[in-house]
Amino acid sequence: MSKFKKISALLLTPVLALSLAACGSGSKETAKQGGTSGSNSDIQELTVKISHVVAENTPKHKGALAMKDAIEKASGGKIKVQVYPNSQLFGDKDEYQNLVANNVQFLIPDMAKLVGNDPGFNIPSMPFLFSSDKAAAAFWDGPKGQEIFKRLEKDGVLGLSFWPNGPKHLTNNKRPIKSPEDVKGLKFRTQGGQVLEKVYSTLNAGSVSIPFNELYTALQQGTVDGQENTFSNIESKKFDEVQKYMTVMGHTRVDYVLMTNTKFWSSLNPATKKIIEDGVKKGTEVARSEADKINSDAYAKIKQRGKTQIYELSKDEINKFREAMKPVYDEYGKIIGEDIIKDAMNR
Ligand code: LMR
């Protein structure tokens, strides 16, 4: 890992800076209200909502809380931030439309749920693409990642920042999975279609996307045989209680984009926007620095609970999966763009 990558992984993503610059020229009303002095009287009184679907003990929730703390403190309580975890406010099915309608100001969805908006969001689902959270951050902070974020603007949505969760692992109820052949004939829940669907069809397995808040029941009732997720999502939602086998594979990732509504963003005066920008920076820093540790702690807890039989693939076994999943690159390399895939591979 180069020094530059390490530093860039911790810095605010350039799109936020660009978005701020673009929105800073905002409406006349904003300019009148605002000024750039940053004195407390310039700060708008606001309540903003952050909604997400995962549990509290996760990188995403820790990041959201850090963002809330930073914003509330810096605004002297003038800006209130309400954080709704566990799909309490909106779930996978309705959160995006509610962001577009400005009923919620910040979402942090798994990019696999945005593939219908743009195929670039398939990147975290491309098998064995990134070797670490930092490599993923370097891609999303870089020009190709930022270009993909920008494509959300057609919906009135701004991609502000990349937050990692981490590598996903396979769980299922039918048999230990040690080779690509073991996956054949099983049915998996995925976060979204396109590449994830292709991953399973390539392995001669079935897949269906199911919202996160319906997943425990789907696994318990056998609607699907298995699913893929990060240790922190598996542990915090207790999927290991309803899955007999887990294979540590890291073939795909859960990665997030923190996003906001363009109209909301342009309604902020410079002093208010600066506080929220700093809050986003803080949340990003916490999510990025804690994701790996939260996931290792979650793995230790899953082992300790002893509900699921764990199999850690060897390097050779991983290479067999890598080989078996090559057709995903043949098809989706073109759809996503070979230049984008190449850039991601070089991180
Ligand atoms: C899932 O649906 O499994 C994950 O995308 C949830 C999340 O937001 O991490």
Side-chain angles (χ1 to χ4, degrees), residues 62-83:
K62 301 271 187 226
L65 289 185
M67 186 171 152
K68 169 186 166 72
D69 280 359
I71 294 172
E72 290 186 343
K73 265 196 204 116
S75 69
K78 280 188 140 187
I79 310 173
K80 298 202 171 27
V81 182
Q82 298 171 345
V83 181

Side-chain angles (χ1 to χ4, degrees), residues 168-173 177 186-191 200 208 210 212 215-216 218-219 224-231 233-235 237-240 242-243 245-247 251-252 254:
K168 290 194 269 186
H169 310 284
L170 269 190
T171 68
N172 90 98
N173 247 337
I177 290 175
L186 301 182
K187 189 173 175 190
F188 288 86
R189 175 267 179 175
T190 59
Q191 286 85 354
Y200 288 101
V208 58
I210 295 176
F212 190 61
L215 180 52
Y216 185 95
L219 296 172
V224 285
D225 300 310
Q227 62 96 42
E228 53 172 68
N229 232 311
T230 60
F231 291 133
N233 280 345
I234 294 170
E235 189 281 323
K237 289 294 181 186
K238 300 190 163 61
F239 298 146
D240 54 317
V242 287
Q243 293 279 268
Y245 308 100
M246 179 165 89
T247 302
H251 57 304
T252 53
V254 169

Side-chain angles (χ1 to χ4, degrees), residues 259-324:
M259 48 200 205
T260 191
N261 172 295
T262 315
K263 272 202 204 123
F264 158 73
W265 199 251
S266 347
S267 75
L268 302 175
N269 69 29
T272 310
K273 203 175 274 179
K274 170 81 170 73
I275 287 174
I276 299 186
E277 174 196 15
D278 289 347
V280 168
K281 205 191 268 183
K282 185 71 203 165
T284 300
E285 224 173 85
V286 167
R288 291 186 185 192
S289 62
E290 294 202 4
D292 202 34
K293 164 136 184 39
I294 294 171
N295 277 301
S296 335
D297 290 351
Y299 185 33
K301 272 196 204 157
I302 296 169
K303 281 186 185 160
Q304 197 185 5
R305 274 203 299 245
K307 301 268 184 201
T308 191
Q309 191 181 307
I310 300 170
Y311 186 76
E312 291 186 7
L313 295 174
S314 68
K315 272 206 179 121
D316 278 355
E317 287 166 334
I318 290 204
N319 281 338
K320 288 197 179 117
F321 277 99
R322 205 185 277 272
E323 196 56 37

Side-chain angles (χ1 to χ4, degrees), residues 103-169:
N103 295 329
V104 57
Q105 287 67 46
F106 297 97
L107 295 180
I108 318 152
D110 180 342
M111 294 184 195
K113 293 168 187 171
L114 297 172
V115 297
N117 299 60
D118 189 87
F121 290 107
N122 280 297
I123 284 285
S125 305
M126 292 301 278
F128 305 103
L129 185 53
F130 293 120
S131 57
S132 65
D133 294 355
K134 287 195 173 121
F139 170 79
W140 290 106
D141 288 350
K144 299 288 180 196
Q146 295 297 301
E147 184 187 313
I148 297 169
F149 281 6
K150 259 204 134 345
R151 296 177 193 158
L152 292 167
E153 289 178 25
K154 62 181 184 307
D155 292 346
V157 169
L158 285 179
L160 296 178
S161 183
F162 164 82
W163 289 15
N165 184 330
K168 290 194 269 186
H169 310 284

